[in-house]
Amino acid sequence: MLRTSTTKSLFPTVFGLLFLVCSSPAVAQTGIPTARLLAANDSTRPRTAGFNLISPAATAPTLEQASQIERHAFDETNRARLKNGLTPFVWDAALCRMARAHSEDMGRHNFFSHVTPDGQRLKDRAQAAGIMHFTLIGENIAYNLGYDDPGTFAVERWMLSPKHRANILDEHFNAMAVGTFVAPDGSVYLTQTFIQR
């Protein structure tokens, strides 16, 4: 996880957390369920990038337009915040559009990382999505297969991991969205993006 504020170095250090969780849920859809998680947090200054991953025509989904998986992950995250005495997140439609694009990119191009194969980091993707002004931005990603409620399951796993939990319970973040992509084989890619504007 990368964590930087305006008072810290402009050259952030990346800390990653990647682990594989294999277990049998109470109700699995098919085969042996699997899951992977990764967390990151980034500084306030997006780098200049000469690319745009997100089509200008892509819509920025409201909470009412969120998929069931996205909505479950959003609601479960806010339950965790309330349980810990924190203000719930506000849904950010622009973050959802960006998160969906990253989840789809991971699913279609067979990678699992905050950095795309062509080197785009969270800040770069935010800039490409038109999200230019923020104080802090962070991200959790997850992949799972074989779970009846992939959104809730992802949040449950994130809350067991100190770095993912730190993003979810960071009092500085005030808005969040989840964007998902379901691959043809049923694999679910989830990107949860946090922001303080």
Side-chain angles (χ1 to χ4, degrees):
M1 177 175 66
L2 172 66
R3 183 169 298 275
T4 339
S5 70
T6 55
T7 59
K8 294 184 181 177
S9 170
L10 295 178
F11 302 100
T13 305
V14 177
F15 300 95
L17 170 66
L18 175 62
F19 60 90
L20 179 62
V21 179
C22 293
S23 62
S24 297
V27 182
Q29 293 170 345
T30 58
I32 298 173
T34 60
R36 288 189 287 172
L37 309 174
L38 196 63
N41 211 324
D42 227 329
S43 71
T44 61
R45 301 189 185 195
R47 293 182 295 190
T48 302
F51 46 79
N52 189 351
L53 287 176
I54 301 171
S55 162
T59 60
T62 65
L63 184 56
E64 292 73 30
Q65 296 167 325
S67 72
Q68 183 178 22
I69 297 170
E70 292 163 347
R71 182 62 188 249
H72 283 191
F74 181 76
D75 290 343
E76 191 66 26
T77 298
N78 275 337
R79 274 192 280 283
R81 284 181 67 86
L82 288 169
K83 183 177 177 181
N84 285 276
L86 298 168
T87 304
F89 287 121
V90 173
W91 180 264
D92 189 301
L95 290 181
C96 180
R97 181 179 60 162
M98 183 178 87
R100 281 183 177 180
H102 188 60
S103 291
E104 183 174 356
D105 197 24
M106 288 190 294
R108 292 195 186 281
H109 297 103
N110 197 28
F111 73 96
F112 185 74
S113 175
H114 296 289
V115 182
T116 65
D118 58 351
Q120 299 164 43
R121 297 182 180 281
L122 175 57
K123 293 183 299 183
D124 303 320
R125 290 186 279 111
Q127 184 177 18
I131 302 169
M132 307 296 277
H133 305 287
F134 53 86
T135 305
L136 186 65
I137 192 165
E139 183 175 78
N140 289 341
I141 61 175
Y143 157 94
N144 62 55
L145 173 65
Y147 292 90
D148 287 332
D149 189 349
T152 298
F153 176 77
V155 176
E156 288 170 356
R157 298 293 98 180
W158 284 330
M159 288 300 291
L160 295 176
S161 159
K163 293 183 185 209
H164 297 91
R165 181 183 174 92
N167 274 342
I168 289 171
L169 300 182
D170 189 317
E171 63 186 16
H172 299 100
F173 290 131
N174 50 28
M176 181 270 287
V178 178
T180 60
F181 175 73
V182 181
D185 69 354
S187 301
V188 179
Y189 292 82
L190 300 96
T191 302
Q192 181 180 51
T193 310
F194 310 88
I195 201 162
Q196 179 190 48
R197 294 186 192 272

